Amino acid sequence: MLKFILRRIGASALVLLGASVLMFFLTINSGDPLKDLRESNDPNRDQLMAQRSELLRLDDSPWERYWDWLSGVGGCFTGNCDLGVNINGIDVLGLTEQAASSTLRLITLSTLLAIVVGIALGILTAIRQYSGFDYSITFSAFLFFSLPVFWAATLLKEFAAIQYNNWIAVGQYAPWTIVIVGLVAGFLFQAVLGGTRKRRLVTAAVVFAFVTVMLFVFNALDWWRNPMFGIGGVAVVSLAAGVLVTSLVAGIRNRRALYAALTTAVVGTVSYLAFAPLLVNSPSWPLLAGLFVLAIVVSMAIGAAWGGYARKQAMLVTGITGVITSLVVVADVLIAHWSGFLGLKSRPISTIGSQTPNFTGEFWDQVLDMGTQILLPTILLTLVSVATHSRYTRSSMLETLNQDYVRTARSKGLSEREVIVKHAFRNALIPITTIVAFDFAALIGGAIITEQVFGWKGMGALFQAGLNAVDPAPVMAFFLVTGIAAVLMNLVADIAYAALDPRIRR
């Protein structure tokens, strides 16, 4: 496997080298970098043209310019990375670091959400093949996949930002809106859960009643402007997450795993009380990172202590439960700061930029500001990727469910959960892994339009600025980041293949 990975790295390096040559020469021959100066009436025009020609080395041969760039990239392996300067004389390495951090923050979150939601929907539609739910998800997936990105972004800006910002000033749903939301929720839940007609009607009625009552209560409490969750809400959600994770991973009959998950939820909730003063009074990113690592370590230890004969399963269950509990705790802290954030920023959902200029606020206010800024582009990129992931997952699951070993597993009396999770899903992941690897790299390139619409200063803006100015340095920096991302993700896919399919290890 090590030799295989080394061969793949070597082949990928050759591909990157050839592609870099092509990208460089296409860029420098795409236009005239002195066009704006040639049309200028500035008395210093000739001097400015000479300065830019010297800066971009236009008098040198294209191969000399390419070799100079390649030598600078090679210096990255010795700690002397040099990506050149742009047309304004600004160091491209610094610009790339800022743009890459901005774009990767957006792409990573979008990819994770798309994987979780897309794979879950793909599994559900495969299990409920040719049902109303299957048809609805299939239609929605093709719809979102076919939508022009710029048009969908414009709709999000109008309805999820501008209209929401107008509504949050009052923060009250009209009665007819509550009824419609309840009807839609009831319809969706009965479609997902399925069953006989009587069961569907009961499910829809119960969900409709619950949703409408809760929305009326939220209106009465002015919850949308002054939300509250509290330690009780953290405990309930964490315990529910523990039960759900246990039922999916180990089965609800595995008492050791169930007790380990519930213990993790309780310990996480109690720890929240202990660390609440730190989270409220002295929050910082290192503190959050340290507490997150501590939560995972403690969760795994609880799983090992409870696990017994099912130690591996119990540790996996408690690890996932610990992560969910940590996220719920952070969400509760953010919810508690929402009303104060509205006082600082009356129109919370922004449509331009990755953060609000000159925003003054404490740590959690800054986190909320970054979260509301990243919200719309993340939703847009997630919807596009979910369509792909759900379709491929459905197709792969249907193919796997029709295999002989799945029918044999059912005939041996295994539960449907064990058949789906342990047998079908693991083998269905192999083709999905390929799609996820390619999708991550493709999203970086595809985010150019999204970043432009939302004014997100990332790799897309860097690439566009370089291309418009016929400046190869920013364009090659974009290529370098996207190319390395593609290589790394394909390498991760190769390793994942070996973990999923023992035959590949041989």
Side-chain angles (χ1 to χ4, degrees):
M1 189 64 189
L2 179 60
K3 292 182 179 178
F4 173 73
I5 292 175
L6 292 176
R7 285 198 301 270
R8 287 299 302 270
I9 293 176
S12 300
L14 293 177
V15 170
L16 285 175
L17 181 63
S20 67
V21 174
L22 181 63
M23 177 68 78
F24 187 88
F25 279 85
L26 286 175
T27 302
I28 63 175
N29 290 287
S30 63
D32 182 10
L34 301 177
K35 181 180 178 180
D36 58 324
L37 295 179
R38 296 185 196 279
E39 299 172 351
S40 173
N41 294 321
D42 195 312
N44 297 325
R45 185 187 66 173
D46 294 338
Q47 181 181 358
L48 294 174
M49 291 177 62
Q51 289 177 350
R52 183 175 296 182
S53 297
E54 182 181 359
L55 186 66
L56 298 180
R57 298 183 59 185
L58 299 180
D59 296 331
D60 295 339
S61 69
W63 285 106
E64 289 177 339
R65 296 171 64 190
Y66 173 76
W67 178 254
D68 184 64
W69 174 83
L70 189 62
S71 301
V73 173
C76 296
F77 295 98
T78 60
N80 297 314
C81 195
D82 181 15
L83 300 184
V85 295
N86 68 358
I87 200 169
N88 297 316
I90 302 175
D91 183 34
V92 173
L93 179 60
L95 295 176
T96 305
E97 291 174 350
Q98 297 175 3
S101 63
S102 179
T103 295
L104 291 177
R105 186 170 78 242
L106 172 62
I107 297 302
T108 302
L109 182 58
S110 303
T111 302
L112 291 176
L113 290 174
I115 291 173
V116 174
V117 177
I119 290 179
L121 290 177
I123 294 174
L124 289 174
T125 52
I127 297 172
R128 303 284 307 283
Q129 185 184 15
Y130 303 134
S131 64
F133 176 73
D134 183 21
Y135 288 131
S136 300
I137 295 299
T138 301
F139 172 78
S140 301
F142 283 115
L143 175 65
F144 290 131
F145 187 77
S146 304
L147 285 177
V149 174
F150 65 90
W151 185 68
T154 303
L155 291 180
L156 277 175
K157 290 174 70 172
E158 173 63 27
F159 295 102
I162 297 174
Q163 296 298 330
Y164 173 82
N165 289 333
N166 294 336
W167 173 81
I168 196 64
V170 179
Q172 294 286 312
Y173 279 116
W176 62 271
T177 304
I178 294 177
V179 172
I180 292 176
V181 172
L183 290 173
V184 171
F187 174 78
L188 292 178
F189 269 84
Q190 64 84 26
V192 173
L193 298 179
T196 62
R197 179 174 297 180
K198 180 179 179 180
R199 179 180 174 182
R200 287 173 177 268
L201 289 174
V202 171
T203 300
V206 171
V207 172
F208 170 77
F210 176 79
V211 171
T212 52
V213 169
M214 290 303 299
L215 290 179
F216 275 115
V217 170
F218 286 164
N219 271 357
L221 296 176
D222 194 23
W223 194 88
W224 306 110
R225 290 185 54 82
N226 298 284
M228 45 191 167
F229 198 50
I231 193 69
V234 172
V236 170
V237 174
S238 300
L239 290 171
V243 174
L244 178 62
V245 172
T246 303
S247 63
L248 292 176
V249 176
I252 204 69
R253 295 181 180 178
N254 189 332
R255 297 303 180 187
R256 287 185 175 273
L258 177 61
Y259 296 153
L262 296 179
T263 302
T264 301
V266 172
V267 171
T269 305
V270 174
S271 300
Y272 180 28
L273 292 174
F275 289 106
L278 279 177
L279 292 173
V280 174
N281 300 322
S282 305
S284 64
W285 290 113
L287 174 64
L288 291 180
L291 291 178
F292 184 72
V293 172
L294 179 63
I296 294 178
V297 171
V298 172
S299 301
M300 300 289 282
I302 293 173
W306 270 107
Y309 66 90
R311 179 170 297 173
K312 289 185 178 180
Q313 280 190 328
M315 292 177 69
L316 178 60
V317 168
T318 55
I320 298 174
T321 304
V323 170
I324 295 175
T325 302
S326 301
L327 295 177
V328 172
V329 167
V330 173
D332 180 54
V333 178
L334 290 174
I335 287 173
H337 286 78
W338 178 252
S339 58
F341 177 68
L342 289 180
L344 296 172
K345 190 177 177 183
S346 59
R347 301 184 66 82
I349 308 299
S350 301
T351 58
I352 296 294
S354 57
Q355 63 184 38
T356 303
N358 302 319
F359 180 77
T360 57
E362 297 181 353
F363 176 82
W364 292 113
D365 297 319
Q366 298 282 351
V367 173
L368 282 170
D369 180 57
M370 290 188 293
T372 53
Q373 295 279 1
I374 203 175
L375 181 64
L376 297 185
T378 298
I379 291 175
L380 179 61
L381 294 177
T382 301
L383 288 177
V384 175
S385 298
V386 161
T388 303
H389 294 340
S390 63
R391 292 302 86 202
Y392 275 100
T393 302
R394 179 183 182 275
S395 176
S396 184
M397 281 292 294
L398 288 176
E399 181 180 354
T400 305
L401 288 171
N402 292 323
Q403 298 295 320
D404 290 338
Y405 65 85
V406 174
R407 287 192 288 268
T408 302
R410 286 196 175 103
S411 67
K412 290 193 302 183
L414 295 180
S415 66
E416 190 65 14
R417 183 201 63 81
E418 291 178 301
V419 172
I420 298 296
V421 175
K422 291 186 177 181
H423 292 77
F425 179 55
R426 181 184 178 94
N427 292 281
L429 275 177
I430 296 176
I432 299 171
T433 303
T434 305
I435 302 302
V436 171
F438 280 106
D439 189 63
F440 182 83
L443 272 178
I444 298 179
I448 294 176
I449 299 176
T450 304
E451 291 180 0
Q452 184 177 4
V453 174
F454 289 105
W456 195 272
K457 300 299 182 182
M459 294 303 298
L462 184 70
F463 173 80
Q464 187 178 14
L467 198 60
N468 291 338
V470 198
D471 184 3
V475 176
M476 297 307 293
F478 173 84
F479 165 80
L480 199 62
V481 173
T482 54
I484 291 176
V487 170
L488 289 179
M489 290 307 296
N490 278 278
L491 183 61
V492 170
D494 290 336
I495 298 174
Y497 293 151
L500 294 170
D501 190 347
R503 295 172 297 180
I504 297 178
R505 302 173 200 167
R506 304 189 183 97

